[in-house]
Amino acid sequence: MNFDAARQRFETTDEDLSQKVDPTDRYVKSYPLLLKSTAHLCDAMGSNAVPGVAHIVYGWMPTILQNLTFDDHINDHLIAARQINDFQSAFNLVDGLETSPINNSWVGLSKVLHFINPEFFPIWDSVVAKNFGVSDYKIKQKKIYTKYMKFISENLEFKSVSTVQDLFEKRANYTISKVRACEFILFTAPKNK
């Protein structure tokens, strides 16, 4: 993974970032609603909420949900993400899984875990992976997702991260975590750099 190339994305200027938070964009508008829906489902249903959360998240994505687990033990493990309050525990939760129980995809799992706990689980997808020079084949590996998690945990203090958080508050009228701000910067980075 090319961490230096990805880290350069966080050195964007305020002018570059100000155009990226579009309050009329469907992803920007729906994000806080999906977080609230996820929280309500998790509060009401505990580990039984995981299949519903997966369907909510896949409704937000351009990919179709085709496979998920109804295994209580695994879903208890996933719902435990709500209680995580540090990155090491987030890494441990992911490491405790042999395979992804959501669509057999670490990408899909990253999104479900993010909506369960946006403070410690970054969204991982093919657009973000391009910033690291990660191929479509490698994006599917757990070790690549955990390296990305570590990268995000180590890069939360860039000025651009707080700028994106401020822009979401001012333009979209809601707050986002530093983790979400990092992922947003990588997701919206110019593709020609």
Side-chain angles (χ1 to χ4, degrees), residues 96-185:
L97 296 167
E98 287 183 37
T99 61
S100 172
I102 307 295
N103 232 21
N104 298 320
S105 165
W106 296 104
V107 169
L109 179 66
S110 77
K111 293 175 183 182
V112 169
L113 289 173
H114 176 80
F115 278 95
I116 290 173
N117 187 340
E119 299 292 328
F120 297 101
F121 293 95
I123 294 172
W124 176 240
D125 66 16
S126 60
V127 175
V128 171
K130 287 180 180 156
N131 291 282
F132 296 89
V134 172
S135 69
D136 288 343
Y137 171 74
K138 285 191 174 185
I139 192 175
K140 299 172 184 175
Q141 298 175 4
K142 176 172 74 170
K143 70 179 179 180
I144 298 296
Y145 176 56
T146 56
K147 285 180 181 182
Y148 169 65
M149 290 174 70
K150 183 168 177 38
F151 171 85
I152 293 295
S153 73
E154 295 171 346
N155 288 282
L156 298 173
E157 301 308 321
F158 274 88
K159 181 181 184 290
S160 58
V161 173
S162 59
T163 298
V164 167
Q165 287 182 296
D166 291 344
L167 286 167
F168 268 88
E169 284 188 42
K170 290 175 185 159
R171 300 192 77 207
N173 296 316
Y174 65 87
T175 60
I176 61 171
S177 68
K178 287 183 176 187
V179 166
R180 173 66 175 149
C182 286
E183 179 270 328
F184 186 83
I185 290 167

Side-chain angles (χ1 to χ4, degrees), residues 40-100:
H40 288 301
L41 275 177
C42 291
D43 287 344
M45 299 176 68
S47 64
N48 290 326
V50 172
V53 171
H55 281 284
I56 287 172
V57 170
Y58 271 82
W60 191 63
M61 296 168 48
T63 304
I64 296 171
L65 179 62
Q66 297 178 356
N67 187 358
L68 69 140
T69 184
F70 289 93
D71 181 299
D72 290 340
H73 176 72
I74 292 172
N75 287 341
D76 286 343
H77 186 75
L78 297 181
I79 210 72
R82 293 187 79 207
Q83 306 308 316
I84 286 177
N85 57 14
D86 63 81
F87 284 103
Q88 186 59 53
S89 297
F91 302 138
N92 293 345
L93 185 138
V94 172
D95 273 345
L97 296 167
E98 287 183 37
T99 61
S100 172

